[in-house]
Amino acid sequence: VSMGYTHIDTALVYRSQKQIGAVLAAKFMSGELRREDVFITSKLFHGEMAGLTRRGSTLPLDDMTPEEVAEAIEGQFELILEELGVGYVDIMLMHWPAIMDSKNKNNAARRLAAWKVLENMLERGQARAIGVSNFSEHHIEQLMKDGAKVLPHVNQIEASVYKSWHDIKAYCDEKGIKLMAYSPLGLGKESLLNDPVVLSIAKDKGLAPSQVALRYLIQQEYAVLPMSSSEERLRLNLDLFSFTLDEDEMNKLSALG
């Protein structure tokens, strides 16, 4: 925040919201920031996963009725606002469409039940926008067909030079759904910062590899969510609008995905 970042991306399952709330409260009280100066995205509706199940932050979705889901999501929404210490979030997302790899026949009904809660929170002003995360075009189409009144404003997906989802991007572009890219620099062994193509373009332009990789997504109209603990990297990741990639460079990067 002190460096100029104003978009905070968090989630109930991250267990980082109390710390974020404490920092923001100090900034608000000192007058350094106002609530409208920061843009907060959070997420709920995360099914239980091996190694990730945390009391109160994940849900045993396959064992829940739609009515139970709605009640749980109401509680999760209230908890998020309480932990952050704010009266509203700028975007609230459904974290996943279902438990990973679940084929449960009631998944669609549970998604709709959760989405109805988000629609109510949007109407009440506790969320300025609502959206989804990790949803395919099928999930969004099903949600609307089943009775959703509000089309998701955002779909947050994993995207990078190495991961190009042409179908979901085309669908979201057509529907006017904004795409956010998480893990835009790759994950683990997929880290693209040492890729020869990325390195070559970065060297030619006098840039860091991360700047090239992030600018690639920005020119495809993604909102990017890079993560780093390095102050130098954080500063570099802010400087993405003083240069552009030409058509040849974009094509070279596109070929990697």
Side-chain angles (χ1 to χ4, degrees), residues 12-27:
L12 189 58
V13 76
Y14 298 168
R15 309 307 296 165
S16 61
Q17 295 180 143
K18 289 183 180 179
Q19 295 90 332
I20 291 168
V23 171
L24 291 178
K27 296 290 186 182

Side-chain angles (χ1 to χ4, degrees), residues 63-102:
D63 299 324
M64 299 176 74
T65 66
E67 292 76 20
E68 289 170 335
V69 166
E71 183 178 355
I73 295 304
E74 286 268 7
Q76 287 194 339
F77 207 122
E78 292 173 3
L79 180 59
I80 286 171
L81 295 181
E82 179 184 329
E83 288 188 345
L84 288 170
V86 296
Y88 68 92
V89 291
D90 296 279
I91 303 178
M92 185 66 78
L93 305 178
M94 288 176 60
H95 208 149
W96 287 91
I99 287 179
M100 189 74 71
D101 299 324
S102 172

Side-chain angles (χ1 to χ4, degrees), residues 14-15 26 50 96-97 114 122 174 177 181 206 211 240 243-244 249 257:
Y14 298 168
R15 309 307 296 165
W96 287 91
L122 177 69
E174 178 188 351
I177 301 170
Q211 291 176 293
L240 301 175
F243 66 95
T244 59
E249 292 165 336

Side-chain angles (χ1 to χ4, degrees), residues 161-162 192-204 207-213 252-253 256:
V161 167
Y162 284 172
L192 49 81
L193 299 182
N194 294 315
D195 186 283
V197 174
V198 176
L199 286 172
S200 175
I201 294 172
K203 182 178 180 181
D204 288 346
L207 299 167
S210 62
Q211 291 176 293
V212 171
K252 288 178 180 177
L253 293 169
L256 298 176

